[in-house]
Amino acid sequence: MYDQPRPHQAQPAMTFEQMLDRVRYEGAYPTRERAEEAVRTVLAALGRQLIGDERVDLAQALPVEAALALTAQIPATEQLTGWNFVKDMAARTGTSPAIARWDTGAVLAVVTRLTGPDLLTRILHQLPTGYALLFGQAELRQPHPVA
C-alpha cells in the first residue's frame, strides 16, 4: 500500500539556467539560446555513445533538461572515435567540424565539472580514443609491449 522508500538522489550541482550560462561563457556564445542549442546537440550526440551505469550516472549529475537531451537518444550499435563523433555531429547539424568541435568543447567542459573525476574516468574508459581531449583531459595511452 505504501511506496517503498527510494534512495536519496542528489540534486544536480547547478540548474539548467546556470549550466547554460556556463556554456555560454565557455563557448563565448552571443546568446543563451545559442548555448542551449549547443548543449542539446552535444548531449544528444553523447547519448548515442554512452550505455550502462555511466549513462545513468551522468544523467543523474546533469540538470533535468540536460539529462533528457542525453537519455532521449538510443545508443548507437557502433561507437565512434572522438574525431568521428565530432564529424558525425557536424553532419547531423549541417555545420562544419570546427563549429561542432567548438560546441563539444564548450559543453563538455561544463559537463566535466558536473561529473567529478571518478565518473569522468569511468565515462572515458567506456568510450573509444579521442574523447579525453573533447572533455578537456589529457589522452593517456598505454604503452605497447615490445616484442
Side-chain angles (χ1 to χ4, degrees):
M1 182 165 207
Y2 293 101
D3 286 339
Q4 293 293 320
R6 295 182 185 169
H8 175 68
Q9 297 202 3
Q11 294 297 318
M14 65 177 70
T15 66
F16 189 59
E17 290 73 27
Q18 290 169 325
M19 182 181 191
L20 294 181
D21 288 341
R22 294 242 177 119
V23 169
R24 183 177 178 193
Y25 176 79
E26 289 287 335
Y29 297 118
T31 64
R32 184 183 267 189
E33 291 76 22
R34 177 62 184 96
E36 183 173 355
E37 178 185 328
V39 166
R40 291 186 187 283
T41 300
V42 171
L43 290 178
L46 187 59
R48 289 188 289 276
Q49 298 301 305
L50 284 177
I51 59 171
D53 290 341
E54 289 73 21
R55 179 183 170 100
V56 172
D57 292 347
L58 176 56
Q60 288 179 341
L62 297 173
V64 171
E65 299 88 341
L68 290 173
L70 177 86
T71 58
Q73 302 303 309
I74 296 170
T77 56
E78 191 173 314
Q79 286 188 317
L80 302 173
T81 64
W83 176 237
N84 286 333
F85 173 85
V86 170
K87 291 191 312 186
D88 180 65
M89 200 170 72
R92 288 175 186 265
T93 59
T95 62
S96 71
I99 291 172
R101 174 62 181 97
W102 184 268
D103 290 349
T104 301
V107 174
L108 295 184
V110 176
V111 169
T112 297
R113 290 186 199 123
L114 290 169
T115 62
D118 294 337
L119 177 55
L120 181 59
T121 299
R122 289 177 31 225
I123 289 169
L124 291 175
H125 276 104
Q126 183 185 116
L127 296 170
T129 61
Y131 282 88
L133 294 173
L134 298 177
F135 279 92
Q137 306 294 305
E139 180 100 32
L140 301 177
R141 297 181 182 258
Q142 296 295 325
H144 294 284
V146 177

